Amino acid sequence: MKIIETEQYSDNLGKAFARLIPQLSPTARIPGREDIERIIADTSTHLFAAVDEKSDEIAGILTLVIYDIPTARRAWIEDVVVDAEHRGEHIGLALVDKAIEIARKCRADQINLTSNPRRTAARSLYRRCGFTEVD
Protein backbone atom coordinates (compact mmCIF):
# COMPACT_ATOMS: atom_id res chain seq x y z
CA MET A 1 0.00 0.00 0.00
CA LYS A 2 1.38 3.40 -0.92
CA ILE A 3 0.13 6.79 0.24
CA ILE A 4 -0.15 9.38 -2.50
CA GLU A 5 -1.34 12.94 -2.65
CA THR A 6 -3.94 13.10 -5.38
CA GLU A 7 -3.11 15.55 -8.14
CA GLN A 8 -6.07 15.03 -10.44
CA TYR A 9 -9.47 13.42 -10.57
CA SER A 10 -9.79 9.87 -11.82
CA ASP A 11 -12.72 7.50 -12.13
CA ASN A 12 -10.92 5.29 -9.60
CA LEU A 13 -10.91 8.17 -7.11
CA GLY A 14 -14.58 8.94 -7.75
CA LYS A 15 -15.52 5.30 -7.19
CA ALA A 16 -13.45 5.24 -3.99
CA PHE A 17 -15.32 8.27 -2.63
CA ALA A 18 -18.65 6.63 -3.47
CA ARG A 19 -17.59 3.48 -1.60
CA LEU A 20 -15.74 5.06 1.34
CA ILE A 21 -17.79 8.10 2.36
CA PRO A 22 -20.85 6.01 3.35
CA GLN A 23 -18.54 3.96 5.57
CA LEU A 24 -17.49 7.15 7.31
CA SER A 25 -21.05 8.46 7.65
CA PRO A 26 -24.11 6.81 6.11
CA THR A 27 -25.86 10.20 5.92
CA ALA A 28 -22.96 12.15 4.39
CA ARG A 29 -23.29 13.55 0.90
CA ILE A 30 -21.04 11.76 -1.57
CA PRO A 31 -18.97 14.33 -3.45
CA GLY A 32 -19.20 14.27 -7.22
CA ARG A 33 -16.48 14.83 -9.76
CA GLU A 34 -16.69 18.65 -9.59
CA ASP A 35 -16.51 18.58 -5.78
CA ILE A 36 -13.45 16.34 -5.81
CA GLU A 37 -11.76 18.42 -8.52
CA ARG A 38 -12.38 21.58 -6.47
CA ILE A 39 -10.84 19.93 -3.38
CA ILE A 40 -7.76 18.85 -5.35
CA ALA A 41 -7.38 22.31 -6.94
CA ASP A 42 -7.52 24.11 -3.58
CA THR A 43 -3.90 24.87 -2.67
CA SER A 44 -4.65 24.79 1.07
CA THR A 45 -6.14 21.29 0.84
CA HIS A 46 -4.24 18.02 0.50
CA LEU A 47 -6.19 14.89 -0.41
CA PHE A 48 -4.35 11.65 0.31
CA ALA A 49 -5.23 8.17 -0.89
CA ALA A 50 -3.95 4.78 0.20
CA VAL A 51 -3.50 2.86 -3.04
CA ASP A 52 -2.87 -0.86 -3.40
CA GLU A 53 0.16 -1.05 -5.68
CA LYS A 54 -0.97 -4.32 -7.31
CA SER A 55 -4.67 -3.68 -7.92
CA ASP A 56 -4.63 0.15 -7.96
CA GLU A 57 -7.61 0.00 -5.57
CA ILE A 58 -7.96 2.96 -3.21
CA ALA A 59 -8.36 1.51 0.28
CA GLY A 60 -8.49 4.76 2.26
CA ILE A 61 -8.58 8.54 2.05
CA LEU A 62 -7.72 11.51 4.26
CA THR A 63 -8.05 15.25 3.80
CA LEU A 64 -5.58 17.73 5.31
CA VAL A 65 -6.23 21.47 5.30
CA ILE A 66 -3.50 24.01 6.09
CA TYR A 67 -4.65 27.50 7.00
CA ASP A 68 -3.27 30.67 8.50
CA ILE A 69 -4.74 32.79 11.25
CA PRO A 70 -3.11 35.91 12.71
CA THR A 71 -1.44 33.97 15.52
CA ALA A 72 -0.44 30.70 13.86
CA ARG A 73 -0.47 28.33 10.93
CA ARG A 74 -2.78 25.41 11.62
CA ALA A 75 -3.46 22.05 10.05
CA TRP A 76 -6.75 20.18 10.25
CA ILE A 77 -7.25 16.50 9.44
CA GLU A 78 -10.72 15.55 8.18
CA ASP A 79 -12.64 12.65 6.68
CA VAL A 80 -10.24 9.83 7.44
CA VAL A 81 -11.76 6.58 6.24
CA VAL A 82 -10.34 3.16 5.48
CA ASP A 83 -12.39 0.56 3.64
CA ALA A 84 -13.86 -1.97 6.07
CA GLU A 85 -12.19 -4.78 4.10
CA HIS A 86 -8.76 -3.24 4.81
CA ARG A 87 -9.08 -2.23 8.45
CA GLY A 88 -6.39 -3.61 10.71
CA GLU A 89 -3.73 -3.25 8.00
CA HIS A 90 -2.34 0.02 9.45
CA ILE A 91 -3.60 2.04 6.49
CA GLY A 92 -5.17 4.67 8.75
CA LEU A 93 -1.86 5.02 10.57
CA ALA A 94 0.00 5.48 7.27
CA LEU A 95 -2.50 8.11 6.11
CA VAL A 96 -2.30 10.08 9.37
CA ASP A 97 1.50 9.83 9.44
CA LYS A 98 1.64 11.25 5.90
CA ALA A 99 -0.69 14.10 6.88
CA ILE A 100 1.47 14.90 9.89
CA GLU A 101 4.60 14.84 7.70
CA ILE A 102 3.08 17.30 5.21
CA ALA A 103 1.70 19.54 7.97
CA ARG A 104 5.18 19.77 9.47
CA LYS A 105 6.73 20.50 6.06
CA CYS A 106 4.18 23.30 5.70
CA ARG A 107 5.34 24.58 9.11
CA ALA A 108 2.00 24.15 10.84
CA ASP A 109 2.19 25.20 14.49
CA GLN A 110 -0.66 22.91 15.45
CA ILE A 111 -2.40 19.87 13.94
CA ASN A 112 -6.01 19.20 14.93
CA LEU A 113 -8.75 16.75 14.15
CA THR A 114 -12.11 15.70 15.51
CA SER A 115 -13.62 12.26 15.84
CA ASN A 116 -17.00 11.04 16.89
CA PRO A 117 -16.79 9.54 20.40
CA ARG A 118 -18.48 6.38 19.06
CA ARG A 119 -15.56 5.77 16.68
CA THR A 120 -13.40 4.03 19.28
CA ALA A 121 -10.99 2.44 16.77
CA ALA A 122 -10.37 5.80 15.10
CA ARG A 123 -9.82 7.51 18.44
CA SER A 124 -7.36 4.79 19.44
CA LEU A 125 -5.51 5.33 16.15
CA TYR A 126 -5.26 9.07 16.77
CA ARG A 127 -3.88 8.51 20.27
CA ARG A 128 -1.23 6.16 18.79
CA CYS A 129 -0.31 8.98 16.39
CA GLY A 130 0.32 11.33 19.32
CA PHE A 131 -2.97 13.23 19.47
CA THR A 132 -4.51 13.97 22.84
CA GLU A 133 -8.22 14.22 23.57
CA VAL A 134 -9.73 17.52 24.63
CA ASP A 135 -13.30 18.51 25.35
Side-chain angles (χ1 to χ4, degrees):
M1 201 67 62
K2 65 180 175 181
I3 307 301
I4 63 162
E5 183 168 358
T6 59
E7 297 179 355
Q8 64 184 23
Y9 178 87
S10 68
D11 289 338
N12 192 29
L13 185 61
K15 289 175 186 174
F17 267 82
R19 187 180 76 255
L20 295 170
I21 294 299
Q23 293 181 47
L24 178 66
S25 172
T27 60
R29 181 182 68 83
I30 297 171
R33 180 183 183 131
E34 288 180 9
D35 301 311
I36 297 168
E37 287 176 337
R38 189 172 47 255
I39 292 165
I40 293 168
D42 186 331
T43 58
S44 65
T45 304
H46 304 265
L47 178 61
F48 298 101
V51 181
D52 184 296
E53 295 177 84
K54 293 179 183 174
S55 69
D56 207 34
E57 176 191 20
I58 295 174
I61 54 174
L62 176 148
T63 305
L64 172 71
V65 179
I66 309 288
Y67 62 98
D68 292 300
I69 59 173
T71 58
R73 172 169 276 196
R74 299 242 170 102
W76 197 273
I77 295 172
E78 285 284 349
D79 294 344
V80 181
V81 59
V82 173
D83 193 307
E85 293 183 19
H86 292 280
R87 292 184 188 152
E89 298 175 18
H90 306 289
I91 295 168
L93 180 64
L95 284 163
V96 173
D97 282 348
K98 184 66 169 182
I100 291 169
E101 174 191 330
I102 297 303
R104 287 182 177 149
K105 281 184 181 178
C106 292
R107 304 175 84 186
D109 299 300
Q110 190 176 57
I111 307 169
N112 296 304
L113 58 85
T114 58
S115 184
N116 186 311
R118 292 185 302 267
R119 297 185 69 219
T120 55
R123 293 174 69 205
S124 175
L125 164 69
Y126 302 141
R127 282 191 295 275
R128 283 196 313 268
C129 292
F131 290 90
T132 55
E133 292 186 45
V134 296
D135 288 332

